[in-house]
């Protein structure tokens, strides 16, 4: 029975996630992969839809290259909260912070991330992993902007150097499969049991 006062988010699997008090029992990997595969980066401003799931794989691969499969797995999940909250753009987060005066987005994402990590049996990120994920996230964004925006110059100083590899957006079903196969591969390599 759902508490009528709870603020809940329905998932494709039919589970409701309490956004104010998310529980690990409400989290499903398949929901994360499917939702992220259907959420567009940059509020859909790219020439061709580019999913958060594909972005997450790009970040995971770079972090894995630097620090190994466990950190890569954590990089894969760096935006997993967006499966339940959506992909709020950096300018929107800045505006929200300015209007409200506190980092509400950080509080919401931190709470969801804790439930997601517990549900997937992931250990907390080390400071080294946090830094690598943040840097890879920025470089992935720079790469996506370069390859997927319609000749729009990014705001000055917004992005670090892009990756050399070219980002080619894939349909959401492919992005979902890529996310799930990357998850399975990294779990096996890191010795972390897979969750569904």
């Amino acid at each position: 029975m759902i508490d009528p006062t709870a603020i809940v988010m329905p998932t494709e699997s039919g589970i409701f996630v309490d956004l104010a008090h998310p529980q690990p029992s409400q989290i499903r990997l398949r929901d994360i992969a499917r939702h992220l595969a259907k959420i567009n980066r940059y509020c859909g401003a790219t020439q061709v839809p580019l999913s958060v799931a594909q972005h997450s794989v790009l970040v995971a691969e770079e972090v894995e290259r630097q620090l190994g499969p466990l950190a890569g797995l954590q990089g894969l999940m760096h935006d997993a909260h967006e499966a339940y909250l959506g992909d709020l753009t950096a300018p929107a987060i800045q505006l929200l912070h300015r209007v409200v005066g506190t980092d509400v987005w950080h509080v919401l994402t931190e709470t969801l991330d804790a439930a997601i990590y517990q549900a997937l049996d992931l250990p907390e990120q080390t400071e080294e992993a946090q830094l690598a994920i943040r840097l890879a996230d920025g470089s992935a964004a720079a790469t996506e902007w370069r390859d997927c925006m319609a000749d729009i110059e990014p705001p000055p100083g917004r992005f670090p150097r892009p990756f050399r590899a070219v980002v080619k957006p894939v349909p959401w079903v492919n992005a979902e499969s890529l996310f799930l196969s990357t998850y399975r591969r990294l779990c096996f390599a890191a010795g972390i049991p897979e969750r569904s």
Side-chain angles (χ1 to χ4, degrees):
M1 179 91 164
I2 298 172
D3 178 352
T5 63
I7 300 171
V8 296
M9 162 70 190
T11 65
E12 182 159 310
S13 67
I15 294 171
F16 287 88
V17 176
D18 183 342
L19 295 181
H21 307 287
Q23 301 300 312
S25 61
Q26 300 167 340
I27 305 299
R28 297 289 180 278
L29 178 69
R30 177 112 7 221
D31 283 334
I32 293 170
R34 172 92 23 120
H35 292 206
L36 294 183
K38 292 181 177 181
I39 296 172
N40 291 329
R41 297 270 292 152
Y42 302 100
C43 281
T46 52
Q47 292 175 306
V48 177
L50 173 68
S51 72
V52 175
Q54 188 174 352
H55 164 79
S56 298
V57 171
L58 188 61
V59 171
E61 289 172 345
E62 175 61 18
V63 174
E64 178 192 17
R65 188 185 66 72
Q66 292 178 31
L67 300 178
L70 176 58
L73 191 55
Q74 293 168 330
L76 184 68
M77 295 300 159
H78 81 283
D79 281 338
H81 52 262
E82 293 181 7
Y84 308 102
L85 297 173
D87 181 21
L88 199 58
T89 63
I93 293 169
Q94 291 169 351
L95 178 62
L96 184 62
H97 181 72
R98 185 179 297 170
V99 170
V100 177
T102 59
D103 195 348
V104 174
W105 183 252
H106 178 74
V107 171
L108 293 174
T109 60
E110 196 173 64
T111 303
L112 269 164
D113 285 342
I116 290 165
Y117 267 55
Q118 191 174 347
L120 300 179
D121 288 331
L122 292 178
E124 281 187 43
Q125 297 173 11
T126 64
E127 287 184 20
E128 184 180 29
Q130 288 174 6
L131 177 60
I133 290 166
R134 188 166 54 253
L135 293 174
D137 189 30
S139 291
T143 308
E144 294 159 354
W145 191 291
R146 180 196 68 202
D147 298 339
C148 302
M149 298 298 268
D151 297 324
I152 302 169
E153 287 295 318
R158 171 137 181 222
F159 296 126
R161 179 175 291 173
F163 299 134
R164 289 184 183 179
V166 174
V167 172
K168 295 180 181 177
V170 299
W172 77 263
V173 289
N174 299 57
E176 178 187 25
S177 294
L178 184 60
F179 186 95
L180 289 170
S181 65
T182 301
Y183 170 78
R184 286 190 291 271
R185 180 181 64 75
L186 291 172
C187 278
F188 178 79
I192 301 284
E194 288 182 34
R195 299 292 178 238
S196 56

